[in-house]
Amino acid sequence: MNENKITRRKFLKGVATTTTVGAVAPGMTNNAKAMELEEGGKDFSPQTGKERKVIPSACWQCVARDAILCYVEDGKLVKIEGNPKSIRNRGKICSKGQAGISQVYNPDRVLNPLLRVGKRGEGKWKKITWDEALDLLINGGEIAGSKVKGLKTLRDAGTPEQFMFHYGRMKGSDGAIIKSNFLPAYGTSTVGGHTAICEVAKWTAQELTWGKHYDINDVENTTMILNFGANFYEAHTSHVQLAQRAINAQNNGVRLVTFDVRLSNTAAKSDEWIPIKPGTDGAVALAMCNVIMEEGLYDAEFIEKWTTTNVAQLKDHLKQYTPEWAQGVSDVSAEKIRSLAIEFGKAKPGTCVSYRGAVAHYNGVENERAMKMLDGICGHIDVKGGTLHGVGAKFVYPKISGHPTKLKILDGFPGDIAYPTHHADHQVLRMIKDGKAGRPDIYMIYCYNPAYVNGGCQENIDILKDEKLIPFFVSVDIAMSESSYLADLILPDVSYLERWSWDDMVSYDMIPEFYLRQPVVKPRGETRQFQDVVIEIAKRLGIDLGFESTVDFIKKSCEASGVDFEYLKKHGVWHPEGAVPKYKPYAKELSPEKYTGDDILLDEATGVYWNWTKSKAESKEAAIKAGYTSMKYAYKGYVGQKIGNKVYAGFKPDKLNKSGMFELYSELLKKKGFNPLPSYLPIPEHQNLKNDQLILTTYKVNVQSHSRTQNNKWLTEIYHENPMLIHPDTAAKRGIKDGDKVVVNSETGSVEDVVARLTKGIYPGVVSISFHCGHWQHGEYASGKESFGHECEPDCGRIWWDNVGVNPNWAIPATPDPISGQARYMDTVVTVTKA
Amino acid sequence: MKKRERSSSGQSTAEHERPLRRREVLKVGTLGALAGCTGVGKAMAGGGSANKKKCYGMVIDLRRCIGCHACTVACKSEFNVPLGVWRSWLRIKEDGEYPRTRRTFMPKLCNNCRNSPCIKVCPTGAAYYDQDDVSSIDQKKCIGCKLCIGACPFKQRFINPDKNTADKCTMCMHRVRKGLVPSCVNTCMGNARIFGDFNDPNSEVSQLKRDNKVEVLKPELGTKPQVYYIGGTDR
Amino acid sequence: MPTYDIFHLPALDSITVMYFFFSGLTSGTFLLSLWAGYGQEKLKSVAKPAAVITPISLAIGLLLLVLHLERPFQFWRILITFKPTSTTSWGAWVLNIFFVISFLYAFLWLKNKGEKAKMLGLFGLPFALFTGLYTGLLLMQMSGNALWDSALLPWIFLVGGLLTAIAVTVIVLTVMGQKPTEPFFGLRRHIQALIAIELLMIASEFVGLFTGGAAATEIAVMLLRGKLSFWFLNLEVLVGLLIPLGLLIVAKRSKNAGLHVAVSALVIIGVLTMRFIVVLVGQGQI
């Protein structure tokens, strides 16, 4: 399968042979071979010259989860590089991936189970054994004078939902063991994630439009890239994959145009950076759609056959969104919108990239829908070089089907969010405070730092600190964090480099990559992989999960999936023989036996064939009565879409009972009182800004990911102080000079001690502060403070920075958007004053 | 090399445009100019081998650099470089007027000069050209006088706090001699860094140097750097 | 955010500056002693003390040189190698030979064998000149630093060394109880002349800076108007050169010991400031 990998060398050779055709070619190639150096796969100690031991594994510094090779010298992990056998990251890995060594060796790791002995948040701990820790967790007991209930107590009382499990990062087999086995077997589905603070608006918009949430942009095969608020040269769900392909495309002359409020590195590398007012990307996309329809550059067949609207209706709907109107809204010139729209409409194919810059807004879902419409009407959907659904490995793995129950605290306050398809995790603590939907007795976080990562830090801290609201707070973590610091019990997990899991991130080559994460070094101290811990907890509770250990689970998954476990251990990645990219899978016609049978129903209203037994319907009659759209989990039984008198695979729905069409016109949204066609939703707070008010946006940089890499010394050395970016004109009005200390105030709170950085790389009227920094309890490199059990290394004494930056979440409210529950990280209205 | 022919933007310094140095203005003897790669090696390394001398160096295609710092960290990890010092670094520069603001990235490393001021000033011979003409440091011989640090016009040398000796990029010769590209090249996701032997006319670096407009840093100093930039260094 | 870049710690620190100062002083006292020994009748009595100061100053200089090394105990390596391209290698050898010469020279003066000493002194003259010039040469060899890229630098350093040599000798003589009589007046004229030369060279240096490209001009502007103008204009030029010159002209016939010490102290401050500015600014540190 590695033939799919285009290395620089092969690429060069290819060019050499095509340009020199014949005569000189053989000589050239021989010479070229003689001097060729290999790119990776081996490594030698610069001191001793000895070859370092190589172990393939998988990264987990961010959700991109690339395949890596890890080099071990004298039992110590010393280097990480990309796995050249990976078709996704092609032997490359970013700065974060390489700095991950610190996740193992950072001086502030938690190496023993820690029990709180002082007041909550006082920072007084006692090291305890795993046996004591699990006994406390299962049977309850006393923590610093207060009695707490255990897992067994709750389960025996018939209230397993009183145990809430809230994770930040859990994918692949890590999630499969816990979410698909342990938690349902235990009986709780009070389970939260973190998608709402990420990009849920994008996901929900995809689910409303064309099904599964992950989309990819086939930039390497495209002719034009239109980018709304994505920063893929610095951070992206598939950063290394997309960045490599995009720079290749640019080098081949493909134009990249970026709309962003800030000159990100992506904007800087783009052929054009177009500054835009925050939250108005949708307006520009709609105006572009308008131009494309007016100019007749649309794909009539796709619109008429595969969408839920038609050319006439679309034209009529888009009439209101002229480029001139969009200029007034977004500050992007009408002329520019028109010319780009024509260019994009003529690009065959083109692809529209969008991310948090466009979607982490009040109107995020509508913005994303507008961008999908842009791709859709141009005929860029599911074609080579267009916008497609990513293809990831589909591991088959053991699952337990229990009948778990849950507390209704996961989806925000009633009526706030129309379709919380990935929950509203930033509302969980507020729901707990409110208490009307109940409060968990045990609140367990896993690889999650709610105090820091959610908006409204102060309120998060106050709730987590309150023993009346959260009686027993357990954190599973690898190092001290702001949230673990407030916990009653910390269970030390292994880092991703000491861990077993299979993983399945999507591949931009449209060929699935099955890959493995395996321990590169022995787990440090008393740390234990939490998946193994839950297997032991299950045993102690008398639950049989059907597998003995994480490795056993992985072996069983591999066996069921037809993947050779030993091969994965040796090579790290595996690709199915003969797999090829599949384009336009929706247009595949289904043979009649696929959609006939006793379990299968045709929903006349939508034309969807569906298998009612896979929904929550009690009987066939109940399913028919409710209909496809209204039956809970009906989408799980989706079979095909009837168009005319043929049945097609269609756009398979996920999370929502949409039809198998490309739903530009959304009945689901109409039902909730929104405009069924993609529309511009003005952000209420931005409409009447006062003179002194500014909009605060946030961003990520290339050498940090989220909130969990700041104790990686090589990264924090490069990026530790996050300034507030402000345009010189905006700053001048406030008498702010470069380097001044300022305070950023909002209704939620204020960010103190911010350093102002004047830059012409930002839209005036906006200030921007990156995430990542401003930790107050995350070890010495991140926060300047040593954590409990700190173990010095030589570099501790060489920390040359004293400013650890600021966290904008002190001023950002934890409020959801009305459709998906997206946390609005780009919308906050603030004032900025000199400190 | 069709794919590399995209015209670059904003480069300026061709050899003939270089400003006169002050010392030249003052008509005081300059350091003797030295010719191409091979000559220097023999002169400085004292006696050559029968084989053709190497001239290792790098071509950095700035159009392909996305400023990701993967090289910076790869280098830190390869040599376990202590905090506060760097063998490879990325300079980020912002200029231009809104909304035509520009940000440019420039990876910096030891230029492996063929006429190295650092090697000249070293009083103990710790800074030397090795058998492949790569500017190297003999850690045993270095007394830490720091003159080479001052002498390097590219500010690429530093005192390694672990060893108390001068240190810098070695072009990963410990890898190159085992048939591997340098660590930073290996990790460059834009494939902006290309390493090779300029004495081999068929090497990728030679081809790139031939087919593109390339520039070196501070050509007016006559140090003959072997790190060539495509796409405008804009110093 | 115009530029985001990282700089390593500068190579030359304040110990280096002090070492430069003492090597200049060494060179100056030796030359002064020789100058006094040959012909200059009025200065005769200066020859011996200056000769004695020389090896002491050089010993301090050499000690500082070793101390500024990151690996001082590897110092011997410099003495088992000779690198013709390295100014420092030359410097190390010359300084060591010069140390022996200056020690013998001082010994001969102390034994009142003035004539033999003068003969030896002639032999030592090139070594002394080199010692005075070479710190400047060393900086010149460091390419890419606009301020150091000047052929005048060694001469500015040499004249600075002579100035401090006279200043230190005056102070030493005063401390030893010598009355400010004839030899002092001779030294005064020398100070005046040397200050005039130093000022001329600094002026030409600025001409060079202003015509030497953007980086050089930037430094010139920084020295004259920027954040360094206080140190350069007030301390180096005014306090270190102009005020002493003025005092010496105004109080032409003064026999006040305090005045001579004060003038000397100001000259030393001026030269030290000059060396600090040249070294630290040259490295792009300030």
Side-chain angles (χ1 to χ4, degrees), chain A residues 132-315:
Chain A
E132 290 166 325
L134 293 186
D135 185 56
L136 177 65
L137 179 61
I138 292 166
N139 299 314
E142 221 180 81
I143 298 169
S146 325
K147 281 227 179 324
V148 295
K149 290 176 189 165
L151 289 173
K152 190 168 186 301
T153 336
L154 298 181
R155 195 164 187 252
D156 289 350
T159 55
E161 72 278 2
Q162 289 295 107
F163 166 47
M164 169 151 192
F165 184 81
H166 206 164
Y167 62 92
R169 238 183 229 175
M170 197 166 72
K171 292 260 183 194
S173 65
D174 289 356
I177 290 173
I178 293 178
K179 271 197 295 178
S180 306
N181 288 283
F182 172 70
L183 293 170
Y186 174 81
T188 182
S189 57
T190 316
V191 179
H194 86 285
T195 313
I197 58 169
C198 239
E199 74 284 71
V200 73
K202 182 174 171 76
W203 289 171
T204 305
Q206 312 271 40
E207 286 148 4
L208 284 163
T209 312
W210 64 320
K212 196 152 174 64
H213 54 274
Y214 261 120
D215 63 340
I216 65 157
N217 302 92
D218 189 9
V219 292
E220 215 162 34
N221 296 307
T222 198
T223 63
M224 183 186 181
I225 309 165
L226 205 53
N227 171 27
F228 288 97
N231 186 9
F232 49 78
Y233 282 145
E234 294 192 73
H236 188 271
T237 47
S238 290
H239 167 51
V240 180
Q241 289 198 69
L242 181 51
Q244 283 188 72
R245 286 159 174 82
I247 198 74
N248 283 345
Q250 282 199 276
N251 202 48
N252 289 340
V254 172
R255 251 165 64 76
L256 166 61
V257 179
T258 294
F259 294 88
D260 204 315
V261 292
R262 185 181 67 91
L263 182 76
S264 64
N265 285 0
T266 311
K269 288 303 282 186
S270 298
D271 295 274
E272 276 185 78
W273 167 50
I274 301 172
I276 184 169
K277 202 175 156 192
T280 63
D281 305 65
V284 171
L286 288 166
M288 286 187 166
C289 290
N290 167 311
V291 174
I292 287 162
M293 295 307 288
E294 292 303 320
E295 297 284 331
L297 297 169
Y298 53 87
D299 182 337
E301 197 215 325
F302 184 82
I303 297 172
E304 294 290 343
K305 182 168 179 185
W306 295 104
T307 73
T308 44
T309 181
N310 55 56
V311 170
Q313 187 185 29
L314 260 189
K315 274 191 175 168

Side-chain angles (χ1 to χ4, degrees), chain A residues 7-8 11-12 15 19 27-28 31-32 35-47 49 52 78-81 91-96 98-99 101 233-234 239-240 243-244 247-248 250-253 262-265 268-269 271-273 275-276 336 702-703 713-715 717-718 727 758-764 781 794-796 798-801, chain B residues 1-6 54 56 61-86 89-90 92 94-105 160-163 174-197 200 202-205 207-208 210:
Chain A
T7 64
R8 148 171 299 282
F11 158 76
L12 179 73
V15 175
T19 50
M28 283 276 294
N31 273 338
M35 53 129 248
E36 246 181 37
L37 295 170
E38 282 177 53
E39 297 212 316
K42 271 188 277 185
D43 199 41
F44 299 88
S45 159
Q47 279 82 35
R52 288 163 166 172
V78 290
K79 200 186 130 166
I80 300 172
E81 68 181 26
K92 307 294 179 188
I93 194 81
C94 68
S95 57
K96 295 153 276 190
Q98 298 180 83
I101 295 168
Y233 282 145
E234 294 192 73
H239 167 51
V240 180
Q244 283 188 72
I247 198 74
N248 283 345
Q250 282 199 276
N251 202 48
N252 289 340
R262 185 181 67 91
L263 182 76
S264 64
N265 285 0
K269 288 303 282 186
D271 295 274
E272 276 185 78
W273 167 50
I276 184 169
K336 182 53 77 187
N702 50 10
V703 292
K713 56 184 178 184
W714 294 327
L715 300 177
E717 183 182 27
I718 301 172
H727 192 281
L758 270 55
T759 169
K760 288 171 184 163
I762 192 163
Y763 181 81
Y781 294 124
D795 271 338
C796 292
R798 297 185 186 130
I799 301 175
W800 51 269
W801 59 93
Chain B
M1 296 320 303
K2 184 171 161 262
K3 311 226 159 172
R4 288 202 176 272
E5 281 168 5
R6 254 180 94 201
K54 302 278 188 198
Y56 284 125
D61 188 343
L62 295 175
R63 296 166 304 175
R64 282 183 151 272
C65 175
I66 60 169
C68 70
H69 269 300
C71 45
T72 313
V73 178
C75 184
K76 279 264 169 179
S77 159
E78 184 73 38
F79 298 94
N80 197 18
V81 181
L83 292 189
V85 289
W86 293 268
W89 181 249
L90 176 80
I92 302 165
E94 223 174 82
D95 56 14
E97 287 303 313
Y98 180 89
R100 292 273 159 268
T101 322
R102 292 197 326 156
R103 186 183 297 140
T104 46
F105 310 107
N160 184 320
D162 277 339
K163 299 184 254 185
H174 70 288
R175 283 172 63 90
V176 173
R177 295 207 173 100
K178 307 265 188 184
L180 297 169
V181 296
S183 207
C184 57
V185 175
N186 177 35
T187 200
C188 181
M189 71 177 96
N191 281 327
R193 288 179 180 240
I194 306 104
F195 176 83
D197 177 9
D200 175 353
N202 295 321
S203 67
E204 188 176 0
V205 283
Q207 294 181 29
L208 286 169
R210 229 180 5 248

Side-chain angles (χ1 to χ4, degrees), chain A residues 177 500 532 535 548-556 565:
Chain A
I177 290 173
W500 281 104
D532 283 325
I535 293 167
E548 291 303 307
S549 63
T550 307
V551 181
D552 186 35
F553 179 85
I554 291 170
K555 282 182 179 163
K556 286 192 162 94
F565 176 69

Side-chain angles (χ1 to χ4, degrees), chain A residues 396-697:
Chain A
V396 181
Y397 55 88
K399 275 182 201 174
I400 284 178
S401 54
H403 295 283
T405 48
K406 73 171 149 200
L407 292 178
K408 291 191 168 161
I409 58 173
L410 304 174
D411 294 336
F413 291 92
D416 273 4
I417 305 162
Y419 292 111
T421 56
H422 297 259
H423 302 312
D425 304 293
H426 45 88
Q427 298 300 300
V428 166
L429 293 180
R430 280 144 193 87
M431 294 297 290
I432 289 174
K433 185 182 176 187
D434 177 69
K436 289 200 185 75
R439 290 177 184 136
D441 285 303
I442 305 175
Y443 180 61
M444 178 185 277
I445 55 172
Y446 169 91
C447 193
Y448 185 44
N449 188 359
Y452 174 98
V453 300
N454 292 304
C457 291
Q458 192 54 57
E459 194 179 4
N460 302 336
I461 295 167
D462 293 344
I463 297 167
L464 288 170
K465 246 187 179 169
D466 194 333
E467 286 172 59
K468 282 190 216 79
L469 299 178
I470 300 172
F472 190 7
F473 177 19
V474 185
S475 172
V476 182
D477 214 336
I478 60 169
M480 190 58 80
S481 73
E482 286 73 14
S483 302
S484 295
Y485 192 70
L486 304 174
D488 302 320
L489 177 66
I490 304 178
L491 300 176
D493 200 357
V494 295
S495 71
Y496 72 95
L497 293 156
E498 303 152 301
R499 171 179 292 274
W500 281 104
S501 30
W502 50 254
D503 225 327
D504 52 8
M505 188 52 169
V506 296
S507 151
Y508 272 53
D509 283 0
M510 304 289 290
I511 289 161
E513 179 161 291
F514 291 76
Y515 60 108
L516 183 73
R517 185 174 295 113
Q518 58 183 322
V520 174
V521 286
K522 275 200 293 210
R524 279 187 66 200
E526 292 296 309
T527 60
R528 284 179 71 186
Q529 178 160 0
F530 193 62
Q531 281 68 21
D532 283 325
V533 174
V534 299
I535 293 167
E536 186 181 337
I537 293 173
K539 266 187 206 147
R540 289 198 187 191
L541 288 168
I543 302 169
D544 180 19
L545 291 176
F547 42 88
E548 291 303 307
S549 63
T550 307
V551 181
D552 186 35
F553 179 85
I554 291 170
K555 282 182 179 163
K556 286 192 162 94
S557 308
C558 283
E559 210 171 296
S561 318
V563 184
D564 182 352
F565 176 69
E566 294 302 323
Y567 182 93
L568 273 191
K569 263 175 75 178
K570 194 168 166 222
H571 300 278
V573 297
W574 176 79
H575 314 100
E577 280 302 323
V580 286
K582 289 192 187 94
Y583 301 109
K584 295 198 178 181
Y586 59 85
K588 193 183 156 207
E589 247 186 272
L590 297 187
S591 55
E593 62 267 23
K594 288 257 172 68
Y595 56 90
T596 40
D598 213 27
D599 301 339
I600 293 174
L601 301 172
L602 170 66
D603 182 66
E604 294 290 347
T606 55
V608 169
Y609 281 96
W610 64 297
N611 184 331
W612 69 270
T613 58
K614 291 184 180 166
S615 73
K616 281 210 164 174
E618 279 166 13
S619 64
K620 192 172 179 175
E621 288 64 38
I624 295 170
K625 197 175 168 218
Y628 170 77
T629 315
S630 302
M631 189 66 237
K632 205 170 186 192
Y633 294 132
Y635 70 89
K636 289 192 174 182
Y638 173 87
V639 172
Q641 176 71 38
K642 189 167 179 243
I643 299 173
N645 46 19
K646 284 183 181 158
V647 180
Y648 298 93
F651 295 94
K652 194 176 174 226
D654 189 31
K655 302 267 198 276
L656 291 171
N657 296 340
K658 71 168 257 307
S659 69
M661 305 291 279
F662 195 85
E663 291 208 359
L664 289 180
Y665 185 98
S666 174
E667 283 290 349
L668 290 168
L669 282 178
K670 193 180 172 192
K671 215 159 71 179
K672 296 278 183 177
F674 294 93
N675 196 327
L677 282 163
S679 307
Y680 176 64
L681 277 184
I683 297 168
E685 297 88 338
H686 293 189
Q687 298 317 303
N688 295 301
L689 287 181
K690 292 194 199 95
N691 270 343
D692 64 331
Q693 288 180 323
L694 299 165
I695 300 168
L696 169 69
T697 69

Side-chain angles (χ1 to χ4, degrees), chain A residues 283 331 359 391 397 487 528:
Chain A
D331 213 7
V359 304
V391 176
Y397 55 88
R528 284 179 71 186

Side-chain angles (χ1 to χ4, degrees), chain B residues 9-30:
Chain B
S9 57
Q11 71 271 70
S12 58
T13 330
E15 188 79 11
H16 60 273
E17 288 170 342
R18 73 190 173 91
L20 278 179
R21 294 188 67 208
R22 297 183 53 214
R23 205 177 295 161
E24 287 169 339
V25 176
L26 293 159
K27 297 250 186 281
V28 173
T30 54

